[in-house]
Amino acid sequence: RGKVTDLTASTAYVLLDSGVEGRIRREQLSYALSIRRPGDIMKVGDEVKAVVIGYDKAKRQLELSLKQVTEDPWVRIEERYPVGSRVKVKVIDVVPYGAFVQLDEFTKGLIHISDMSYDKNFHDPKKLVKPGNEIEAMVLKIDTEARRINLGIKQLEDDPFELFVMHHPEGSVVTGKVKSITDFGAFIELAPKVAGLLHVSQWGKERVEKLENVLQVG
């Protein structure tokens, strides 16, 4: 136990009853993501209780931790957020490879772009989510050692490809719209987010050199 004697942007200095000085660095303040500096939770003159986590013998100071007085929220993370569960999250940042989201005051996670949509042409997370959005997601993976949680949006609904395959086994006759044509065939949209390849060799019994001679997009 000790009394706060000084605060900087990154460190709180504490004088213990024994007369020994200790310091609490920013990363040892709190498990809460919103606490960024000592002044957010304490002021000069406050009495605090902390845990000794090390020594700086050169400066004759104790290294202290305020957050380790309480239980680490990651200890029970798998109980609070079981893999496969649906959770409400808040988008805090959107990057080219996905979106970072906050699950609660102690926990943030990542929704990777590959877990955002079943659409293979989806390449821009900003088209789906924006900072400040509150969305639903599914917990996919927890790495307690690295303190990482991976979540997904597309997993909240059935895979349209799997549904299509289930209702259209091999040998089924299907219809679709031509989306693009290449040298080796045409890509056909059979259902939303479901595409098929019509290879040039499968067009007809008579050989066709280029599908673009007999097909048009649309």
Side-chain angles (χ1 to χ4, degrees):
R1 293 181 182 275
K3 181 179 289 187
V4 179
T5 58
D6 191 20
L7 298 175
T8 69
S10 62
T11 308
Y13 293 92
V14 178
L15 185 64
L16 307 188
D17 294 338
S18 61
V20 178
E21 188 179 52
R23 64 184 175 191
I24 306 171
R25 298 178 186 270
R26 177 190 289 130
E27 61 270 18
Q28 292 297 329
L29 288 171
S30 173
Y31 291 112
L33 301 174
S34 59
I35 306 303
R36 300 184 182 277
R37 54 196 308 164
D40 291 337
I41 55 173
M42 64 180 76
K43 61 184 184 295
V44 173
D46 282 353
E47 296 280 348
V48 296
K49 182 170 69 173
V51 175
V52 178
I53 59 172
Y55 307 93
D56 185 335
K57 292 183 179 179
K59 293 186 177 181
R60 301 180 67 79
Q61 280 183 333
L62 298 180
E63 295 289 348
L64 305 173
S65 174
L66 196 63
K67 71 181 184 182
Q68 290 189 35
V69 172
T70 59
E71 183 183 65
D72 184 348
W74 275 83
V75 170
R76 303 183 188 276
I77 195 72
E78 292 172 330
E79 294 177 24
R80 295 191 293 128
Y81 301 112
V83 171
S85 62
R86 294 177 173 228
V87 293
K88 292 282 188 181
V89 299
K90 184 176 182 178
V91 180
I92 53 178
D93 193 19
V94 181
V95 292
Y97 54 86
F100 287 98
V101 297
Q102 187 166 337
L103 291 83
D104 57 42
E105 62 175 323
F106 307 109
T107 319
K108 68 178 181 179
L110 171 68
I111 302 175
H112 193 267
I113 187 172
S114 61
D115 292 312
M116 288 186 160
S117 174
Y118 287 112
D119 187 353
K120 291 185 177 180
N121 295 315
F122 179 78
H123 301 299
D124 187 1
K126 290 181 180 178
K127 289 186 177 180
L128 186 64
V129 295
K130 291 178 172 58
N133 286 167
E134 292 189 357
I135 61 173
E136 190 175 26
M138 180 177 287
V139 179
L140 303 180
K141 182 181 178 183
I142 296 177
D143 185 339
T144 53
E145 216 170 287
R147 293 180 176 250
R148 288 179 187 154
I149 296 184
N150 288 90
L151 305 103
I153 297 174
K154 72 180 187 182
Q155 288 81 4
L156 296 173
E157 59 183 20
D158 292 324
D159 184 341
F161 181 83
E162 295 295 337
L163 285 176
F164 190 88
V165 170
M166 184 169 61
H167 292 103
H168 300 84
E170 289 184 18
S172 301
V173 176
V174 297
T175 59
K177 182 180 287 187
V178 178
K179 298 298 289 183
S180 62
I181 302 172
T182 68
D183 292 338
F184 56 84
F187 288 96
I188 315 295
E189 184 180 44
L190 302 171
K193 301 177 184 176
V194 179
L197 171 64
L198 174 61
H199 195 272
V200 65
S201 65
Q202 297 297 321
W203 172 254
K205 293 182 179 179
E206 294 184 7
R207 182 179 175 82
V208 174
E209 294 296 333
K210 291 186 176 182
L211 278 182
E212 58 188 14
N213 293 333
V214 292
L215 279 180
Q216 291 182 353
V217 173

